[in-house]
Structures are given as structure tokens and as C-alpha cells.
Amino acid sequence: MMAPDSGKRRQRPNKLVTGTPGTGKTTTSTALAEATQLRHLNIGDLVKEKNLHDGWDNDLQCHIINEDLVCDEIEDVMEEGGNIVDYHGCDFFPERWFDLVVVLQTDNSVLYDRLTKR
């Protein structure tokens, strides 16, 4: 059953693929999108492309995501349904947006090797 949205039901589900960096979120999301014909929304890429951030964090070497801007940017497509959202966090997205949440995990030794190659 699809999650209700403002009294109407989405025709296509929204899925969230989450997990720590290096677990394979983008690889998994890309494969799922191709297999299901759902739209792949890579939040990290979207933040960079649409400037949905509050600048750069030199210590962490990443953009400081503006969660409100991200939610405003994707709200309409999320209400339509048919999305696979790819992001390492999930706490700022409205729960009602998702019909399925997948949390990826990877053994720490594998994860370490993947991250040191980046």
C-alpha cells in the first residue's frame, strides 16, 4: 500500500536508499532506477548542481547542505511519486514521502578500502 499524500495516493512509490558513504548507495540506486524506470535523485549531486547549500566545510571537505532548500526543491516530484532518493542521511526528509527505506551496510574493512580510494 502506498503512503497517503494530502488525501490522494501516489501511483508510483518513492524509495530512499541510505547508508554511510561508500556502502554503494549510488550504484544500487542507479541499478534500481534502470530496472524499475523510477527517477534517481542523488541528493549530493542535486545540492551541487542547484546550489542547495550554505557554503563549503573545509574541515569535512564537503558542502554544508541546506535541508530546507533540498526539501523545497524536490517536494513536487516526491508528491508525484516514482523516485529513488540516494543520500547518506534521512532525518530531514518528511516520513510521508517514502514507501520503502533501504539502509545499506558494508563490512568496515571493505568500506575503509573504498573510501581511501576516493
Side-chain angles (χ1 to χ4, degrees):
M1 173 189 273
M2 302 290 182
D5 183 40
S6 302
K8 57 185 175 182
R9 296 186 182 273
R10 289 188 288 271
Q11 296 300 309
R12 301 179 76 202
N14 288 324
K15 303 172 187 219
L16 173 65
V17 178
T18 190
T20 59
T23 54
K25 294 178 300 297
T26 300
T27 300
T28 301
S29 297
T30 299
L32 278 172
E34 289 174 6
T36 61
Q37 300 302 304
L38 298 177
R39 179 188 302 115
H40 177 199
L41 298 175
N42 182 312
I43 299 301
D45 289 348
L46 191 66
V47 165
K48 290 179 240 173
E49 291 165 9
K50 303 270 188 165
N51 292 314
L52 306 176
H53 57 81
D54 294 325
W56 182 258
D57 185 315
N58 285 323
D59 293 333
L60 297 175
Q61 293 295 298
C62 65
H63 288 100
I64 303 164
I65 187 171
N66 183 314
E67 298 169 353
D68 291 332
L69 290 177
V70 171
C71 288
D72 288 347
E73 179 69 28
I74 66 172
E75 184 172 15
D76 289 344
V77 295
M78 293 304 292
E79 288 179 3
E80 290 171 14
N83 302 289
I84 298 172
V85 176
D86 165 1
Y87 190 60
H88 64 264
C90 62
D91 55 334
F92 68 91
F93 296 120
E95 188 178 316
R96 71 180 184 279
W97 280 0
F98 298 102
D99 303 292
L100 176 70
V101 176
V102 178
V103 181
L104 299 182
Q105 296 178 318
T106 303
D107 182 83
N108 284 342
S109 61
V110 173
L111 200 56
Y112 179 83
D113 291 342
R114 287 181 186 170
L115 293 175
T116 55
K117 291 178 183 176
R118 288 186 176 182

